[in-house]
Amino acid sequence: MAPKLKILILEDNESDADLLNRELKKSGLSFTSEIVQTRIAFEQALHGFNPDLILSDYSLPSFDAVEAFRIKQNKHPHIPFIIVSGIIGEENAVELIKAGVTDYVSKNKLFTLSTKIDRALNDAEIRKEKILTDKKLKLLNQELLELNQELEARVVHRTKALAESESRFRSMMETIPQIAWTNRINGKVVFYNQRWYNYTGLDNGQTQLRGFKTVVHPEDLKTGFKQFSSILRTNDGGEFQIRVKRMDGLYMWHLIRLMPITDQHGEMQLWVGTATDIQELKLLQQHKDDFIIIASHELKTPITSLKASLQFLDKIKDNPPTPILSKLIGQANKSLGKVNSLIEDLLNSSMASQGQLHINQKHFVLSETIKECCLDIQTEGMYTIKTEGDMQVEVYADVIRIGQIVINFLNNAIKYAPKSKEIRISIEKVNDMAKVSVIDNGPGIPQEKLRYLFDRYYRAENSGSQYTGLGLGLYICAEIIKKHNGQIGVESELDKGSSFWFTLPL
Ligand code: ADP
């Protein structure tokens, strides 16, 4: 059963109140009512009786409907308030309704009361529901707002994090010493670092247009592309070597490396590519290979001759004719000496390159050491070696090593300037240094090659296959002089001759 409707009646006239109750009963309404006459009783009933509807007379002796409505409205705005009065005119009623009173019923037309009550209750119900819905909506809105704010904060945070990681990635790509770029999974290039533009001299437009293809050496294009495609297929990353054109048109060997970048689920995101200049490494490898060929050839020649001498000696060992015997021994000794000096050069060069070339200094007179060196040189009477200048100059140096340099200069003069029958050695004092020069009248050396002569393994081209050597002699000389804080150099003019010199502190 539906709960009874609680109606609070504010009426000072008992018969009017009865009339009302009767009218209400007549309308078939299920209700209970409480009748009050004073403000205090009205206020108490509002809380105690807790009515669903208020019917109020317009004027009471100590109180009136307008005041009652104000009190009700203050704490219970949702309770419908209907004025039931005989004296209030239509105009007044309209004003009251405008002020918020639910309705007005004339005491002369009480038959309209039930309809108005129904309407008021309905309206109240709708209002209540509306208030409830409004409340819910407000709550929902609030939740939505909070959710939205949280989402916005998350988006801002994520965007910031992304921007930060992107900028970190970019600056990493810019700081590495290699050319670097990124490829999409399908291989399309997305980004090149500044080094690419600096190295190739291409601008962004040219890069977009034909990109890598324009700068890869034509001979490496096909194999490079094949290797690139096969790396993209594996997802493991890989590397290969190609020549890449520098902005001045020169091709340099590069090591191309491709690394896959995956997300936290292992899904491929992009490729990071780098190109490292390995030109020097390639040249060094080439030098090494060339050197091994030259060194083995150089060593093989005296060893073959030594072997031949020994074989011959073996044949004649039981009855050796004396002149042949001494000739063969002489030859064998010469070959052995050659092997020995080659091995010495190799050892000295590797010691020098590791900074382990030790020197043993003492005071000695340069001209005396030079004189001894000249005696060691096998000129076979074909050359004259003239020493001139300051014969008294004394230096504090490693006498054996300095002798080694003089012998090297003299041997080179004989080897590379064979037509220069006279070789001059000059000793002089220049500032605080002693200067020794070995001068020949040979073919000379082209100017552009002079600065490389003291490099390890360097052999001037014109010496070519005509003369043997490892390209180590002058390198070792330079290292020895460096240890003495002196200087080494050469002056040369084509068809006139060369002057190889070194200085030592006095
Ligand atoms: P190697 O004699 O084993 O080649 P070196 O270091 O002694 O090595 O000499 C380097 C190069 O310098 C030689 O290959 C030669 O081309 C050049 N050279 C040295 N001395 C002379 C010289 N007196 N006249 C012309 N060329 C020389």
Side-chain angles (χ1 to χ4, degrees):
M1 216 172 84
K4 282 183 177 176
L5 189 73
K6 289 196 269 182
I7 303 175
L8 178 63
I9 301 170
L10 183 58
E11 178 62 79
D12 63 330
N13 188 320
E14 271 180 33
S15 59
D16 279 358
D18 271 356
L19 212 66
L20 261 175
N21 261 330
R22 243 179 293 140
E23 190 58 42
L24 288 168
K25 275 183 191 145
K26 211 164 79 187
S27 68
L29 211 63
S30 162
F31 73 99
T32 57
S33 65
E34 192 169 312
I35 301 166
V36 290
Q37 298 178 353
T38 63
R39 169 201 280 262
I40 297 170
F42 178 70
E43 281 176 344
Q44 281 171 351
L46 271 179
H47 299 297
F49 183 52
N50 191 19
D52 301 310
L53 171 78
I54 298 166
L55 300 176
S56 170
D57 191 7
Y58 183 62
S59 72
L60 303 150
S62 62
F63 197 33
D64 64 20
V66 177
E67 185 59 12
F69 176 69
R70 197 186 57 72
I71 294 167
K72 183 253 6 159
Q73 202 65 352
N74 204 15
K75 295 240 168 93
H76 307 276
H78 57 279
I79 304 176
F81 191 96
I82 299 175
I83 294 176
V84 184
S85 173
I87 54 164
I88 176 179
E90 282 292 325
E91 264 177 45
N92 250 344
V94 170
E95 280 308 307
L96 280 165
I97 285 168
K98 267 191 194 162
V101 167
T102 316
D103 214 339
Y104 159 76
V105 177
S106 166
K107 282 187 177 172
N108 304 329
K109 294 182 183 168
L110 276 184
F111 58 91
T112 60
L113 185 62
S114 73
T115 326
K116 294 209 171 178
I117 286 176
D118 273 351
R119 195 164 64 206
L121 287 173
N122 253 337
D123 287 355
E125 195 55 38
I126 289 169
R127 255 202 315 278
K128 233 174 164 175
E129 269 174 23
K130 191 173 175 291
I131 288 169
L132 249 161
T133 320
D134 281 355
K135 246 189 193 165
K136 274 190 196 161
L137 254 174
K138 218 171 152 189
L139 255 165
L140 257 167
N141 266 341
Q142 185 60 31
E143 274 173 22
L144 258 173
L145 195 82
E146 278 166 18
L147 206 77
N148 206 27
Q149 277 170 348
E150 197 188 311
L151 263 173
E152 267 176 20
R154 251 197 252 174
V155 168
V156 168
H157 180 77
R158 190 93 186 87
T159 318
K160 215 172 129 198
L162 259 173
E164 272 172 12
S165 80
E166 163 104 9
S167 102
R168 261 207 301 273
F169 178 71
R170 290 259 159 141
S171 66
M172 190 194 79
M173 294 284 271
E174 292 301 354
T175 42
I176 58 171
Q178 291 103 330
I179 292 173
W181 65 91
T182 55
N183 297 91
R184 292 223 173 92
I185 309 173
N186 62 8
K188 191 176 176 344
V189 179
V190 194
F191 159 83
Y192 280 107
N193 70 354
Q194 190 55 40
R195 245 167 244 282
W196 159 266
Y197 298 104
N198 295 348
Y199 179 85
T200 60
L202 297 180
D203 61 22
N204 194 31
Q206 292 161 324
T207 299
Q208 298 288 336
L209 207 63
R210 277 145 76 220
F212 227 92
K213 283 184 194 154
T214 55
V215 290
V216 174
H217 195 287
E219 284 172 22
D220 303 337
L221 203 57
K222 212 168 144 196
T223 48
F225 185 73
K226 230 169 140 186
Q227 280 165 307
F228 177 74
S229 311
S230 79
I231 292 173
L232 290 199
R233 278 198 298 274
T234 62
N235 282 9
D236 290 335
E239 56 186 51
F240 56 94
Q241 298 179 6
I242 48 169
R243 280 161 287 180
V244 185
K245 190 158 69 174
R246 210 164 55 182
M247 64 188 303
D248 58 7
L250 284 178
Y251 284 95
M252 299 288 162
W253 277 103
H254 279 77
L255 175 74
I256 307 295
R257 250 201 195 125
L258 283 165
M259 284 286 295
I261 304 288
T262 53
D263 63 12
Q264 65 262 52
H265 312 295
E267 280 290 311
M268 271 286 299
Q269 296 293 298
L270 71 151
W271 291 95
V272 172
T274 55
T276 311
D277 188 335
I278 50 163
Q279 181 71 12
E280 288 236 327
L281 204 76
K282 277 263 175 190
L283 284 179
L284 272 175
Q285 263 167 4
Q286 186 63 45
H287 274 145
K288 201 179 84 188
D289 292 345
D290 291 351
F291 176 73
I292 289 171
I293 293 169
I294 292 172
S296 22
H297 178 77
E298 288 289 304
L299 283 164
K300 218 172 162 195
T301 314
I303 287 173
T304 311
S305 134
L306 184 63
K307 201 174 156 193
S309 304
L310 284 173
Q311 275 170 349
F312 199 51
L313 271 171
D314 192 38
K315 259 191 201 164
I316 57 163
K317 64 178 181 291
D318 296 331
N319 194 14
T322 319
I324 296 182
L325 185 70
S326 66
K327 198 180 164 206
L328 283 176
I329 291 174
Q331 251 172 22
N333 263 334
K334 205 174 154 195
S335 300
L336 207 61
K338 181 87 176 112
V339 174
N340 196 37
S341 104
L342 281 168
I343 290 171
E344 279 281 304
D345 272 3
L346 286 169
L347 280 174
N348 278 330
S349 143
S350 83
M351 264 159 63
S353 76
Q354 287 165 23
Q356 286 172 355
L357 205 66
H358 300 297
I359 53 167
N360 221 334
Q361 283 166 296
K362 66 171 192 180
H363 290 280
F364 65 93
V365 176
L366 266 173
S367 62
E368 283 170 14
T369 305
I370 289 169
K371 203 168 139 197
E372 281 166 29
C373 293
C374 295
L375 293 174
D376 285 349
I377 297 284
Q378 314 261 314
T379 64
E380 283 150 16
M382 289 166 69
Y383 303 92
T384 48
I385 303 170
K386 240 191 194 172
T387 307
E388 56 193 29
D390 193 335
M391 297 296 161
Q392 314 307 323
V393 182
E394 201 183 281
V395 286
Y396 182 66
D398 186 320
V399 66
I400 296 173
R401 297 273 186 212
I402 298 303
Q404 198 182 332
I405 298 174
V406 175
I407 291 177
N408 207 320
F409 282 1
L410 286 170
N411 276 334
N412 275 353
I414 293 167
K415 187 157 69 164
Y416 298 108
K419 287 184 188 146
S420 165
K421 298 298 170 200
E422 187 185 89
I423 301 165
R424 280 190 305 124
I425 302 178
S426 124
I427 308 169
E428 53 191 327
K429 273 188 191 166
V430 179
N431 302 325
D432 296 338
M433 310 290 272
K435 184 174 180 182
V436 177
S437 313
V438 176
I439 306 150
D440 65 60
N441 302 313
I445 305 154
Q447 286 300 310
E448 68 276 10
K449 291 183 177 169
L450 292 181
R451 63 198 186 103
Y452 303 112
L453 287 187
F454 299 91
D455 287 356
R456 206 174 175 194
Y457 308 128
Y458 186 81
R459 310 201 66 228
E461 224 172 271
N462 62 351
S463 55
S465 54
Q466 200 182 346
Y467 308 105
T468 58
L470 296 174
L472 291 176
L474 292 179
Y475 165 72
I476 296 166
C477 294
E479 291 298 313
I480 294 171
I481 292 298
K482 221 194 276 171
K483 280 269 173 188
H484 284 85
N485 296 321
Q487 287 192 316
I488 195 161
V490 58
E491 273 112 40
S492 188
E493 210 176 319
L494 281 179
D495 299 328
K496 291 234 164 101
S498 311
S499 163
F500 281 84
W501 57 263
F502 64 86
T503 61
L504 290 171
L506 285 171

